[in-house]
Amino acid sequence: MPSETFLRLSEDKKEKVLLAAKKEFSRVPLEKVSIKNIVEDAEIARGSFYQYFEDKEDLLGYILTNHFKEMNEKMEKQIEEVKGDIFEFFISLYDFMTSNCLTNEDLNFYKKIFENIRTCEDFLFSKKIIKERPKKIKDYIDKIDTSNLRVTTQEDIEIIEKMLFTITNKAIVMRFKYESKEKAKEDYLKQINYIKYGVLSSKKE
Amino acid sequence: MPSETFLRLSEDKKEKVLLAAKKEFSRVPLEKVSIKNIVEDAEIARGSFYQYFEDKEDLLGYILTNHFKEMNEKMEKQIEEVKGDIFEFFISLYDFMTSNCLTNEDLNFYKKIFENIRTCEDFLFSKKIIKERPKKIKDYIDKIDTSNLRVTTQEDIEIIEKMLFTITNKAIVMRFKYESKEKAKEDYLKQINYIKYGVLSSKKE
DNA sequence: TTGACAAATGACACTGTGTCATATAAAATA
DNA sequence: TATTTTATATGACACAGTGTCATTTGTCAA
């Protein structure tokens, strides 16, 4: 978390720092982000930066926290909204994560952020970056409607979640990489459909 | 690729460098790997390192090349072996990638390597690291038996491939992270099964 | 033995990090 | 208002690592 000192700063100054930071985070992947560039761009002294933030992860965490806080709130509601339908739930998650980039700058920022995703556990969802971390899907497990799922144990549900999570996560990353927004969504929905009904044709015919 | 100079070195010296490198690559993720540590451990001069390799990626690429060359050869055969069964094909891929770590050191090495995977496209399969890069699954597409797959277009097949790829890749990473070897494989097979037959119970009952 | 090529070396110039003693500004108190 | 106390800002500094290059050392053929 940023220090009290930072939070007490004038809105103007805070904004200047955050803008410089976003610019730098948009430029290169996290490991190449240079605090030097940020302080120069924000026109603050090097020492000040360290008075405000522990390190660049701390700063990034602060920037992303709001986004994830919003996400948690949305998803909390959403699981009720979709009446426990795990597929609709993940589709909402996808929509939320991919809809938040209204400007080109935002897009570039999130693209670079997602470039840093290795596994979700490692990065975005790690306490290091996001203190207000997204709820693990596990937290919703008791709200999931399993009546029409081919599961026998609690573990099976978790496996399905993991799969959907992996696929959704990858789809989100892809959204920011190669494809058009529409094409990306279409592909994602096809994948969800395959997971629902299976890839083999025997049952379908 | 390492320079001729490196390749001409005595086996002993080469081995010493490669050992030091593996040790360092096992210690921290790629971005934190320090050439300094490698040259000190291998007892060569800093300048020598740069006479042998362009940079640390070059070195890592050299170390991994054999592994991937083997993989390509194996997979080329395997697609025939499994008679175009895409699921069996991916399971073979999983087996190959997770079986190659006989010692604890190997395990640690690959674990750290896989920590660097963001998306396969980005890292392991990028030309920067692996010059002899694994064939894209796409290269096998015409050898896949689609007769029992619920697909209508070529694109559908590609989507299925992508899914299997994503899931397999994640499963490989997980193999090196949390779980026991056996548990990891079991989970992976369950996922494949879900993709084959679908998650919904309606068809099954 | 000498010359020519191959290989090894480490000092050097850079880039960037995180810290800390000091300077400055702002607020509180007398 | 003057003085003390607290908060904030600053950039020089020590450190760690990178990649380069002129120079040294080693090897082998003529």
Side-chain angles (χ1 to χ4, degrees):
Chain A
M1 275 294 287
S3 65
E4 289 302 317
T5 309
F6 178 75
L7 297 171
R8 268 193 297 265
L9 253 41
S10 77
E11 285 306 315
D12 271 13
K13 192 163 185 182
K14 270 194 278 191
E15 198 52 37
K16 202 169 178 190
V17 171
L18 294 179
L19 261 175
K22 278 190 188 176
K23 194 172 154 196
E24 178 67 4
F25 283 124
S26 306
R27 193 180 62 82
V28 282
L30 184 60
E31 74 261 19
K32 285 186 189 138
V33 159
S34 146
I35 291 167
K36 193 173 175 269
N37 285 347
I38 296 173
V39 300
E40 278 168 11
D41 194 13
E43 291 174 299
I44 58 170
R46 184 165 190 76
S48 297
F49 180 92
Y50 288 97
Q51 205 128 40
Y52 303 154
F53 305 98
E54 276 175 45
D55 48 32
K56 59 190 176 187
E57 280 86 5
D58 191 26
L59 167 54
L60 178 59
Y62 178 67
I63 293 174
L64 290 178
T65 287
N66 282 339
H67 189 232
F68 280 88
K69 204 171 163 189
E70 249 182 79
M71 183 181 111
N72 275 355
E73 284 161 12
K74 176 84 188 270
M75 287 301 112
E76 196 102 14
K77 271 185 243 148
Q78 204 63 21
I79 189 69
E80 315 282 351
E81 196 79 21
V82 300
K83 302 197 179 76
D85 183 324
I86 191 171
F87 305 104
E88 289 304 318
F89 177 78
F90 272 100
I91 292 169
S92 303
L93 185 66
Y94 176 92
D95 285 338
F96 181 88
M97 292 297 286
T98 59
S99 69
N100 231 22
C101 300
L102 304 172
T103 72
N104 256 1
E105 275 147 27
D106 280 350
L107 199 102
N108 227 307
F109 175 69
Y110 281 104
K111 185 178 161 179
K112 279 285 181 271
I113 296 309
F114 282 120
E115 276 184 19
N116 278 289
I117 293 186
R118 289 145 202 233
T119 64
C120 288
E121 292 78 12
D122 273 355
F123 178 71
L124 269 188
F125 293 179
S126 84
K127 280 170 198 154
K128 178 81 194 174
I129 303 266
I130 314 283
K131 274 79 180 187
E132 168 96 21
R133 77 177 227 288
K135 295 225 158 109
K136 285 236 165 163
I137 308 310
K138 226 174 171 174
D139 299 337
Y140 299 111
I141 202 163
D142 55 327
K143 292 184 178 166
I144 287 166
D145 173 17
T146 59
S147 64
N148 65 337
L149 296 183
R150 192 160 63 80
V151 294
T152 48
T153 63
Q154 171 90 0
E155 219 180 50
D156 286 347
I157 308 171
E158 279 176 32
I159 286 177
I160 292 174
E161 283 177 351
K162 265 189 220 164
M163 271 177 67
L164 286 170
F165 196 84
T166 304
I167 293 292
T168 303
N169 182 55
K170 179 66 179 278
I172 293 169
V173 173
M174 293 310 272
R175 157 68 180 80
F176 290 104
K177 282 194 81 78
Y178 304 107
E179 312 179 62
S180 81
K181 194 173 173 170
E182 290 71 23
K183 182 75 176 62
K185 175 84 184 265
E186 199 185 299
D187 273 18
Y188 173 61
L189 291 178
K190 272 192 190 175
Q191 291 182 40
I192 293 291
N193 190 276
Y194 275 129
I195 292 178
K196 275 169 105 162
Y197 301 106
V199 163
L200 293 188
S201 58
S202 47
K203 317 259 167 200
K204 195 84 190 191
E205 275 159 23
Chain B
M1 276 291 291
S3 65
E4 289 301 317
T5 308
F6 178 73
L7 297 173
R8 269 193 296 267
L9 253 42
S10 76
E11 285 307 314
D12 271 14
K13 192 163 184 182
K14 270 193 278 190
E15 197 52 37
K16 202 168 178 190
V17 171
L18 293 179
L19 262 175
K22 279 191 188 176
K23 193 172 155 196
E24 178 67 4
F25 283 122
S26 305
R27 192 180 62 85
V28 281
L30 184 59
E31 74 262 19
K32 285 186 190 138
V33 159
S34 145
I35 291 168
K36 192 171 174 272
N37 286 347
I38 296 174
V39 300
E40 278 169 10
D41 195 14
E43 292 176 297
I44 56 170
R46 185 162 189 77
S48 297
F49 180 93
Y50 288 97
Q51 205 129 40
Y52 303 154
F53 304 98
E54 276 175 43
D55 48 32
K56 59 190 174 186
E57 281 85 4
D58 190 26
L59 167 56
L60 178 59
Y62 177 67
I63 293 174
L64 290 177
T65 287
N66 281 339
H67 189 230
F68 281 88
K69 204 172 163 188
E70 248 181 80
M71 183 181 111
N72 274 355
E73 284 161 11
K74 176 84 189 271
M75 287 301 112
E76 196 102 16
K77 270 185 243 151
Q78 205 64 22
I79 190 68
E80 315 282 352
E81 197 78 21
V82 300
K83 301 200 179 73
D85 183 324
I86 191 171
F87 305 103
E88 289 303 318
F89 177 78
F90 273 100
I91 293 170
S92 303
L93 185 66
Y94 176 92
D95 285 337
F96 182 88
M97 292 297 284
T98 59
S99 69
N100 231 21
C101 301
L102 304 172
T103 72
N104 256 1
E105 276 147 26
D106 279 351
L107 200 102
N108 227 306
F109 175 70
Y110 281 103
K111 185 178 160 178
K112 280 284 180 271
I113 296 310
F114 282 119
E115 274 184 21
N116 278 289
I117 292 187
R118 289 144 200 233
T119 63
C120 288
E121 290 80 12
D122 274 355
F123 179 71
L124 269 189
F125 294 180
S126 85
K127 281 171 197 151
K128 178 80 193 175
I129 304 265
I130 314 283
K131 274 78 180 189
E132 167 97 23
R133 79 175 225 288
K135 294 226 159 112
K136 286 235 166 162
I137 309 310
K138 227 177 171 172
D139 301 337
Y140 299 112
I141 203 164
D142 55 327
K143 292 185 180 167
I144 288 166
D145 174 17
T146 59
S147 64
N148 65 336
L149 296 182
R150 195 160 61 81
V151 295
T152 49
T153 64
Q154 171 91 1
E155 219 179 51
D156 287 346
I157 307 172
E158 279 175 32
I159 286 177
I160 293 174
E161 284 177 349
K162 265 189 221 163
M163 273 177 65
L164 286 170
F165 196 83
T166 304
I167 294 293
T168 303
N169 182 54
K170 180 66 179 277
I172 293 168
V173 174
M174 293 311 269
R175 157 67 180 82
F176 289 104
K177 282 194 82 77
Y178 304 107
E179 313 179 61
S180 80
K181 193 173 173 171
E182 290 72 22
K183 184 74 176 61
K185 176 81 186 270
E186 199 185 298
D187 273 19
Y188 173 60
L189 291 178
K190 271 192 188 174
Q191 291 183 40
I192 293 292
N193 190 277
Y194 276 129
I195 293 178
K196 275 169 105 162
Y197 300 105
V199 163
L200 293 187
S201 58
S202 46
K203 316 260 168 197
K204 195 83 191 190
E205 275 160 21

